[in-house]
């Protein structure tokens, strides 16, 4: 145990949460006076908070449980037992984390937060993972809000309690998301998904209120236990579909087992807004950099400087305060985002010239492509791949160049203008053509397969673990497996231009020229939510910390919660915002068609309980 704890302490001391504070190790002990926790703690055993005592946990506190299984039941024994008051109130930017201390965490590494006969429990902006039962409470009054409960066996176990679950994200728990018996529970504005059962009512003689949640993609969205014989009324919940038969199929009640009770559903017609952990901030302008042309290219960060490309043909390096370090004129419009491989910066212009520069702006080599009748807006960015760089050109050729010299290694003729940056999937290149052809190439340029779609492909394909997704200009989104077989397709009913689909963790995000942002399931293309009311979206979304950043042609930079679909913040300018924003820490940089680059600072807002 000494060796194990020593390694654990070394790991925690290196973590961001404990850089300035020593790790405190708590073993089997009782807390007998009001106590405040902050910084990094390790629980190696069971910690008991006595009756009448308040444990307050401050924002940003990290609590790791060492796995022991003394009773050999397959579950870790680490526990926080509270008989007094528990006030664990984090913030969106500094959540309180309860998790396993193991290097390879798994559900059941620690047992639970056990609360008995407590008059007040508040868990807010907490992340709770890797436990057996998460929150296990009896004869207690409390609330869990704005929290993320995931990767546990059960997301809760409540009995004889009065409890509120509000604005939580409860997902990927092996058993039940919310599990209670003989309790008065209010469940509102939560996202409950991908659990064994979303909500499980074992038995009850009390009324509960389940309303305005998004409950979908669970084994059973709501399940009644063997001893539940009453009726549960739910209202204004979204069950992942508007189809009544599909909703019923996700509910385990008397229709499945005649011996148990019933669930009465009054469903919402679509996704319920403002669910999941609440989030709000403002974007404060720190500086702006004027240029002589539109800035459609995304701002690139290379170390301590930002690279700005604009329609005036000038490439600039800017320091974090907005001062120009160097600039070089490349002779024609630049609307494609420069690419950086750690040693060289690659950029192409409308003059059909490709340049490689070092980080100080010196030109290392130049490559020119042949003319094409397609010489107009928009160009694709280059894509570095190892010691090579891929150049998609208006003339329909994909050139593979030596990164160090610019010498041509091979080229592939697509026969149609290439306006989208290719995508790489381990051993292949996916190439989108403006004639509607999707081509899979080997890394040596051999054609593996092709698919022909109904309209031009103007945006970069999105690579998933199982294949590739493309969106055509007509708004048809298609998923192909690695062999080229189309698994599904869906027409969004809106035009799509240069906004590329974004894949993350089983979900797809797509912006349209009709001003909608869609979230779809990558497995089958079924919509999860759709947010309307934006200007035409040509900007590809950027996902950072469960937030989507993107611009539109009405001059708005918008930030939307990736889970909730709710607008978190907006910043408006006088020109279109077509490039991808750059996001790092609490800073955002974006170029616009009012010929400026804006540096913005995120200022968090406290959301009321």
């Amino acid at each position: 145990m000494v060796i194990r704890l020593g390694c654990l302490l070394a790991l925690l001391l290196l973590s961001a949460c404990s850089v300035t504070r020593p790790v405190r190790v708590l073993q089997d002990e009782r807390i007998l006076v009001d106590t405040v926790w902050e910084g990094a703690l390790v629980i190696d055993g069971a910690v008991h908070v006595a009756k009448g005592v308040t444990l307050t946990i401050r924002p940003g506190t990290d609590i790791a449980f060492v796995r022991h299984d003394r009773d050999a039941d397959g579950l870790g024994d680490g526990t926080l037992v509270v008989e007094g008051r528990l006030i664990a109130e984090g913030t969106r930017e500094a959540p309180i984390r309860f998790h396993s201390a193991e290097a390879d965490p798994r559900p059941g590494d620690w047992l639970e937060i056990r609360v008995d006969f407590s008059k007040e429990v508040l868990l807010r902006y907490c992340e709770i993972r890797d436990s057996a039962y998460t929150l296990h409470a009896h004869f207690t009054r409390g609330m869990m809000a704005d929290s993320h409960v995931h990767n546990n066996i059960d997301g809760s176990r409540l009995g004889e309690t009065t409890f509120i679950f509000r604005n939580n994200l409860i997902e990927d728990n092996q058993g039940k998301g919310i599990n209670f018996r003989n309790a008065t529970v209010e469940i509102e504005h939560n996202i409950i998904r991908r659990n064994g059962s979303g909500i499980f009512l074992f038995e009850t003689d009390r009324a509960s209120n389940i309303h305005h949640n998004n409950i979908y993609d669970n084994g059973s969205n709501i399940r009644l236990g063997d001893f539940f014989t009453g009726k549960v009324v739910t209202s204004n919940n979204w069950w992942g579909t508007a189809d009544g038969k599909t909703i019923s199929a996700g509910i385990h009640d008397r229709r499945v087992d005649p011996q148990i009770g019933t669930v009465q559903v009054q469903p919402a017609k679509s996704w319920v807004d403002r669910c999941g952990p609440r989030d709000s901030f403002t974007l404060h302008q720190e500086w702006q950099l004027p240029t002589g042309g539109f800035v459609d290219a995304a701002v690139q960060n290379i170390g301590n400087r930002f690279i700005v490309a604009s329609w005036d043909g000038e490439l600039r390096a800017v320091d974090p305060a907005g001062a120009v370090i160097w600039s070089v004129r490349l002779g024609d419009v630049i609307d494609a985002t420069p690419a950086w491989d750690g040693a060289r910066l690659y950029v192409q212009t409308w003059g059909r010239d490709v340049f490689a520069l070092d980080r100080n702006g010196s030109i290392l080599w130049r490559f020119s492509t042949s003319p094409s009748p397609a010489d107009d807006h928009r160009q694709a960015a280059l894509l570095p791949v190892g010691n090579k760089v891929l150049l998609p050109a208006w003339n329909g050729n994909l050139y593979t160049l030596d990164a160090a010299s610019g010498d041509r290694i091979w080229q592939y003729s697509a026969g149609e203008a290439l306006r989208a940056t290719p995508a790489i999937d381990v051993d292949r290149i996916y190439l989108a053509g403006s004639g509607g052809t999707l081509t899979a190439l080997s890394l040596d340029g051999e054609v593996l397969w092709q698919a022909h779609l109904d309209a031009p492909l103007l945006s970069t394909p999105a690579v998933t673990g199982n294949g590739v997704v493309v969106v055509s200009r007509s708004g048809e989104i298609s998923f192909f497996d690695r062999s080229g077989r189309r698994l599904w397709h869906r027409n969004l009913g809106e035009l799509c231009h240069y906004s590329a689909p974004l894949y993350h963790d089983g979900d797809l995000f797509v912006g349209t020229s009709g001003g909608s942002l869609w979230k779809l399931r990558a497995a089958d293309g079924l919509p999860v939510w759709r947010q309307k009311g934006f200007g035409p979206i040509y900007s590809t979304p950027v996902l950072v910390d469960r937030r989507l950043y993107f611009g539109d042609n009405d001059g708005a930079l918008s930030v939307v919660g990736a889970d909730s679909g709710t607008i978190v913040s907006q910043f408006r300018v006088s020109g279109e915002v077509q490039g991808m924003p750059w996001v790092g820490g609490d800073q955002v940089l974006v170029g616009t068609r009012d010929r400026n680059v804006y540096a913005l600072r995120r200022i968090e807002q406290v959301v009321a309980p």
Side-chain angles (χ1 to χ4, degrees):
M1 176 52 63
V2 172
I3 295 174
R4 186 178 186 182
L5 270 178
C7 295
L8 173 63
L9 291 174
L11 286 172
L12 286 174
L13 281 168
L14 290 173
S15 69
C17 65
S18 54
V19 169
T20 60
R21 298 186 180 98
V23 178
R24 181 182 174 192
V25 178
L26 302 174
Q27 295 181 305
D28 294 332
E29 61 181 80
R30 290 184 64 82
I31 297 175
L32 302 176
V33 296
D34 290 353
T35 299
V36 176
W37 283 357
E38 61 183 336
L41 297 93
V42 173
I43 294 181
D44 183 23
V47 174
H48 292 252
V49 179
K51 186 175 181 180
V53 173
T54 297
L55 174 61
T56 302
I57 306 177
R58 289 183 174 165
T61 302
D62 186 277
I63 303 166
F65 292 81
V66 177
R67 180 182 174 90
H68 294 287
D69 186 11
R70 299 185 181 97
D71 56 5
D73 65 351
L75 302 176
D77 302 320
T79 312
L80 173 61
V81 180
V82 179
E83 296 176 356
R85 296 170 67 243
L86 174 62
I87 308 298
E89 191 166 13
T91 66
R92 173 62 170 75
E93 290 304 300
I96 296 166
R97 291 190 166 95
F98 299 86
H99 63 97
S100 169
E102 303 305 301
D104 184 20
R106 62 188 188 275
D109 274 353
W110 59 284
L111 195 62
E112 61 194 6
I113 301 170
R114 176 68 180 261
V115 185
D116 290 320
F117 299 97
S118 176
K119 294 181 179 179
E120 184 178 10
V121 172
L122 175 60
L123 296 165
R124 188 159 186 253
Y125 287 111
C126 294
E127 180 187 10
I128 311 176
R129 55 169 298 158
D130 313 322
S131 77
Y133 309 130
T134 309
L135 173 67
H136 193 175
H138 296 93
F139 305 103
T140 289
R141 180 180 297 272
M143 179 171 71
M144 177 186 287
D146 302 298
S147 294
H148 186 197
V149 177
H150 64 116
N151 201 51
N152 304 284
I153 294 178
D154 282 348
S156 62
R157 285 191 171 188
L158 307 178
E160 290 83 23
T161 63
T162 299
F163 220 88
I164 297 171
F165 289 90
R166 180 177 295 152
N167 286 103
N168 300 291
L169 174 58
I170 301 173
E171 62 178 352
D172 300 316
N173 299 290
Q174 291 179 351
K176 297 93 173 177
I178 298 176
N179 175 15
F180 62 95
R181 65 177 181 85
N182 291 342
T184 300
V185 180
E186 180 161 357
I187 303 171
E188 61 166 326
H189 286 98
N190 302 280
I191 301 173
I192 305 171
R193 65 188 182 196
R194 302 195 303 259
N195 305 284
S197 295
I199 299 174
F200 182 84
L201 288 77
F202 181 72
E203 62 179 352
T204 189
D205 56 4
R206 307 186 193 181
S208 291
N209 197 2
I210 303 171
H211 64 97
H212 293 95
N213 302 280
N214 293 300
I215 310 170
Y216 66 101
D217 286 353
N218 301 281
S220 295
N221 286 323
I222 186 166
R223 184 183 182 95
L224 303 183
D226 295 343
F227 299 101
F228 188 100
T229 57
K231 181 170 73 171
V232 179
V233 178
T234 70
S235 62
N236 297 299
N237 300 289
W238 171 242
W239 304 93
T241 178
D243 180 71
K245 289 184 178 179
T246 305
I247 292 173
S248 295
I251 295 174
H252 184 97
D253 65 356
R254 184 168 294 170
R255 286 162 289 194
V256 179
D257 182 351
Q259 305 303 313
I260 60 177
T262 60
V263 177
Q264 181 178 322
V265 176
Q266 300 167 0
K269 295 180 179 179
S270 61
W271 180 266
V272 179
D273 200 8
R274 302 194 179 279
C275 288
R278 287 166 288 184
D279 189 10
S280 181
F281 63 82
T282 58
L283 288 167
H284 171 74
Q285 182 179 321
E286 290 194 310
W287 51 262
Q288 71 183 72
L289 173 73
T291 73
F294 297 156
V295 185
D296 289 344
V299 176
Q300 289 283 70
N301 177 264
I302 58 171
N304 63 344
R305 59 191 64 184
F306 298 103
I307 302 300
V308 175
S310 57
W311 277 45
D312 59 5
E314 191 160 347
L315 193 68
R316 299 168 176 86
V318 182
D319 72 14
V324 175
I325 300 170
W326 56 257
S327 65
V328 59
R329 287 197 171 272
L330 299 181
D332 209 333
V333 168
I334 310 170
D335 72 343
T337 298
W340 172 250
D341 66 1
R344 288 166 291 270
L345 191 64
Y346 307 96
V347 62
Q348 68 168 319
T349 73
W350 282 21
R352 304 185 310 279
D353 290 321
V354 176
F355 298 89
L357 304 91
D358 65 19
R359 71 188 311 271
N360 296 314
S362 297
I363 296 175
L364 302 174
W365 52 257
R366 178 175 178 173
F367 180 87
S368 298
T369 63
S370 58
S372 164
D375 290 2
D376 60 7
H377 188 67
R378 155 175 323 222
Q379 273 188 324
L382 283 72
L383 179 65
V385 183
N387 60 356
K388 304 178 181 66
V389 61
L390 301 181
L391 163 62
W394 278 334
N395 63 21
N397 289 320
L398 176 68
Y399 300 93
T400 298
L401 308 179
D402 181 84
S405 66
D407 293 338
R408 178 166 39 191
I409 299 174
W410 58 260
Q411 73 182 61
Y412 166 74
S413 179
E416 53 196 69
L418 303 177
R419 302 188 185 279
T421 303
I424 295 289
D425 183 9
V426 185
D427 61 350
R428 62 193 57 202
I429 302 165
Y430 291 117
L431 186 64
S434 63
T437 304
L438 175 66
T439 303
L441 301 167
S442 72
L443 298 182
D444 296 325
E446 176 189 357
V447 175
L448 303 176
W449 54 263
Q450 287 186 316
H452 302 281
L453 287 91
D454 66 338
L457 302 176
L458 304 177
S459 63
T460 300
V463 173
T464 77
N466 301 311
V468 62
V469 177
V470 290
V471 179
S472 72
R473 189 175 63 184
S474 67
E476 183 175 59
I477 181 167
S478 301
F479 189 110
F480 295 89
D481 68 15
R482 283 174 52 85
S483 69
R485 181 168 56 104
R486 187 158 77 167
L487 301 181
W488 58 260
H489 62 99
R490 177 174 300 276
N491 198 308
L492 301 179
E494 301 177 83
L495 293 179
C496 296
H497 283 83
Y498 307 113
S499 180
L502 171 65
Y503 171 79
H504 178 74
D505 194 25
D507 295 316
L508 289 166
F509 301 95
V510 182
T512 75
S513 302
S516 295
L517 182 68
W518 294 76
K519 179 177 182 177
L520 305 100
R521 299 193 312 196
D524 51 21
L526 288 176
V528 177
W529 50 251
R530 174 193 182 193
Q531 289 294 356
K532 300 183 287 185
F534 304 104
I537 300 172
Y538 286 12
S539 167
T540 298
V542 175
L543 178 62
V544 178
D545 193 22
R546 308 183 84 97
R547 293 161 169 162
L548 295 158
Y549 296 74
F550 62 94
D552 67 38
N553 285 357
D554 285 352
L557 172 67
S558 297
V559 186
V560 169
D563 298 309
S564 68
T566 302
I567 295 176
V568 175
S569 187
Q570 286 188 316
F571 180 83
R572 292 191 174 273
V573 298
S574 59
E576 298 95 326
V577 182
Q578 295 195 355
M580 291 173 60
W582 177 88
V583 184
D586 61 354
Q587 191 174 40
V588 181
L589 269 72
V590 66
T592 74
R593 285 200 162 190
D594 65 7
R595 296 175 169 83
N596 288 289
V597 173
Y598 292 88
L600 312 172
R601 182 71 60 182
R602 191 179 68 237
I603 300 176
E604 300 295 333
Q605 294 179 325
V606 177
V607 181

